[in-house]
Structure formats: C-alpha cells, structure tokens
Amino acid sequence: MSVKVYINGRLYDKQDAKISVYDHGLLYGDGVFEGMRIYGGKVFRLQDHLERLWHSAKAIWLEMPMSMEDLASAVNQTVKANELADGYVRLIVTRGAGTLGLDPHCTSDPQVIIIADLISLYPEEFYEKGLEIITVSTIRNHPAALSPRIKSLNYLNNILAKIEGLQAGCVEALMLNHRGEVAECTGDNIFLVSRGQLLTPPIDAGILEGITRAVVIELAVAVGITVREIPLTKHDVYIADECFLTGSAAELVPVVKVDSRPIGDGRPGPITQQLLTRFHELTRQ
Ligand code: PXG
C-alpha cells in the first residue's frame, strides 16, 4: 500500500503529493512544522504539538488556515488511512505560493501537509550503551535573530551543527547558545543528572520547548526527583553523573561521552534508566 499524504483536505498517493515550486516554504523556509510520534495508533501529545504549532505560526505572522479541532481530525484521519500502529507524523504548514520575492503578503493559500510514515529509529544499542556527542562550533540561533522556540522550516542552523557532529563521528551534536551556555542538540533537548537532581537548560537559554522534555520533567517530578531548569555550562556537562537527550524521534537516549570525556562512569546511569522505563510504560501501555 502506498503512503497517503494529506494536503489541504485531500489524501494523495505519495508520488502524487505535490506543491508549487513557488511556495515560500521552499523558496525561503517560510513556514512551520511539527514532528510527532504515533504509539498504539494514537498520536502522542497531539494537543501539545498543535499548541506549539499555533505558537510558531503566530510568531511568524502565519495565519493558520484551519481550526485546531479540524487539524487534529485531519492528523487522525491521515494516521488511520496509513494504518500505522507505531510511526511518525510530520505536520507542515507553509506560507503558500507567491512571487519570487520575500514579501509574505504576495503569497496565497498556505499549504497544510500531513505525512504519516514509519520512523527510522536509532539502533537499539544506542539506548543500551549510550551515545557519544561533541560540542560543535555552530551556536544555536540567537533568539533576537530567530527564536529557537519557533519550529520553523528553516533548520539550517541545526543542519550545520549536525554536519559538524557527523564529521566528528557523532550522530548528535551539542549546541551552545549566544552566551556560551549549553542550549540543546540538533533535534533533541539535553538533561543532566547531578547529585540526584535532574538539570536542564531553561527555555530562555534559547531552545525549543520540547514536548518530550516536558513529559520527562513530569515523569521525574512524579517519582520525586527534583528538577531544576537552570543555565548550564560545558563544565556542568563534563562533571555530571548522567546525561541524556529527549525528542519525539529519539525518545530518551543516554549520553555516555561528551567531547571525549566519559560522563559519570561512562555507562547509562540509574536515573536515566528509571526515566526511560517510565517513558516506555507511558508510551507503550
Ligand atoms: N530541539 C530541537 C531543535 C528539535 O528540533 C527537539 C528539541 C525535541 O522536541 P520534541 O518536541 O520532539 O520533544 C526537537 C525536535 C526530525 C525530527 O524528523 C526532529 C525533531 C523531532 C522529531 C523528528 O528530524 N526535533
């Protein structure tokens, strides 16, 4: 069965799912998106993703062409049409086709695209043995230039960091912010465990407000772990007892080496494992 892709109210076979080359999403990265997980046939935290999408759209003056309820139904319809029990949803809203010029007022018809497909996961051994990451020279977008809170179609900042990481043999890369503090990875938020407490950079460190980040904070609080959202430096990472990343695609993945330094004893730690178990219970129940 061919993958069915939703565009503006209709489902198309994958090979027929097309939009204009004049779309400002393509010409300028002018649009917003969400990446969500499907567990047991249901989109995980759909409402939270839709709210973030609405906030991203508002921040770039993009008027959403449909209501949140209708978009939720469209997402569920697309997941159902593709008969996916577990998978991934990419929800995209572009500015629409316009003239060859920046002016967003010269565009019409924002395109709402929903792709539901299988997700390519990190190999299982990454979850058992943990990842090695490095800090890259590409800093996260300065919030005064383009807020990292906007999940926009312009992902070059993250892609350039990802390339640096890959060239060093790492599948994820740690990005610092304009102040030199720890921000996040290219597609994941970062957490540390230090003296039994869970530490993670605050939103104003210039990061995406990850949905998985929020879920992990909830899970930690529920089991009595103190969570602190505080500015962190590379030094804090190097001396942490444990480190892990969170994201819709990665879920919760342990990090055991940063910039060639082992974190803790160089193996996934007990709090990371406890939270990973809780996360699996929540998503695979
Ligand atoms: N930071 C950044 C920069 C991200 O892009 C996260 C953190 C984690 O957020 P969530 O809400 O997912 O917990 C992201 C998310 C993909 C893909 O296809 C990327 C993300 C999520 C899912 C898929 O590359 N990034």
Side-chain angles (χ1 to χ4, degrees):
M1 191 192 76
S2 139
V3 172
K4 298 270 188 294
V5 178
Y6 173 103
I7 306 177
N8 299 334
R10 277 189 57 191
L11 288 169
Y12 298 85
D13 283 333
K14 184 177 171 176
Q15 68 273 14
D16 301 323
K18 292 175 182 152
I19 64 162
S20 169
V21 293
Y22 284 82
D23 194 296
H24 280 212
L26 174 67
L27 292 178
Y28 300 112
D30 189 354
V32 293
F33 79 102
E34 281 297 323
M36 312 177 256
R37 279 294 279 265
I38 308 162
Y39 297 110
K42 270 194 68 187
V43 179
F44 184 61
R45 299 273 164 141
L46 176 57
Q47 190 60 29
D48 294 345
H49 282 283
L50 291 177
E51 281 169 18
R52 189 171 65 184
L53 183 73
W54 250 257
H55 291 158
S56 293
K58 187 161 190 198
I60 68 161
W61 282 275
L62 173 58
E63 203 178 318
M64 290 294 292
M66 60 202 288
S67 71
M68 208 181 275
E69 293 74 37
D70 288 347
L71 189 50
S73 312
V75 168
N76 290 326
Q77 180 202 347
T78 310
V79 170
K80 218 168 162 200
N82 287 286
E83 295 172 16
L84 288 164
D86 293 287
Y88 177 70
V89 178
R90 169 61 62 91
L91 175 49
I92 304 146
V93 185
T94 75
R95 185 80 68 180
T99 51
L100 296 178
L102 289 174
D103 190 350
H105 300 109
C106 297
T107 61
S108 57
D109 297 334
Q111 301 291 299
V112 178
I113 302 163
I114 308 167
I115 307 169
D117 207 338
L118 299 172
I119 185 166
S120 65
L121 304 167
Y122 281 146
E124 188 54 35
E125 76 170 277
F126 287 10
Y127 294 86
E128 285 155 16
K129 296 197 185 129
L131 289 186
E132 171 171 2
I133 63 173
I134 61 153
T135 313
V136 292
S137 69
T138 304
I139 64 160
R140 194 70 177 94
N141 279 328
H142 194 299
L146 176 60
S147 173
R149 293 175 70 177
I150 303 171
K151 204 162 165 64
S152 86
L153 293 182
N154 190 322
Y155 248 52
L156 274 176
N157 178 224
N158 313 60
I159 290 167
L160 295 180
K162 179 101 180 178
I163 291 170
E164 273 191 78
L166 290 172
Q167 278 168 345
C170 295
V171 295
E172 254 304 354
L174 179 57
M175 302 178 79
L176 304 179
N177 66 16
H178 56 291
R179 296 191 289 257
E181 301 156 352
V182 169
E184 60 183 333
C185 290
T186 68
D188 299 306
N189 293 111
I190 186 165
F191 284 86
L192 304 178
V193 177
S194 182
R195 297 196 184 93
Q197 296 188 339
L198 199 55
L199 313 179
T200 196
I203 302 306
D204 71 4
I207 61 170
L208 185 77
E209 287 173 84
I211 308 290
T212 322
R213 174 183 180 276
V215 169
V216 166
I217 291 174
E218 281 172 28
L219 292 175
V221 169
V223 294
I225 299 169
T226 301
V227 183
R228 294 168 66 206
E229 296 178 58
I230 51 164
L232 297 169
T233 63
K234 280 202 294 184
H235 182 78
D236 295 310
V237 178
Y238 299 157
I239 64 168
D241 301 316
E242 303 180 33
C243 177
F244 63 86
L245 311 180
T246 63
S248 296
E251 301 186 306
L252 193 161
V253 63
V255 170
V256 292
K257 221 181 219 191
V258 180
D259 299 342
S260 304
R261 294 153 173 86
I263 302 302
D265 66 0
R267 284 178 301 191
I271 291 186
T272 303
Q273 278 166 343
Q274 182 189 8
L275 291 170
L276 184 54
T277 304
R278 294 267 160 185
F279 190 84
H280 284 163
E281 283 166 6
L282 180 71
T283 55
R284 288 149 175 79
Q285 63 199 357

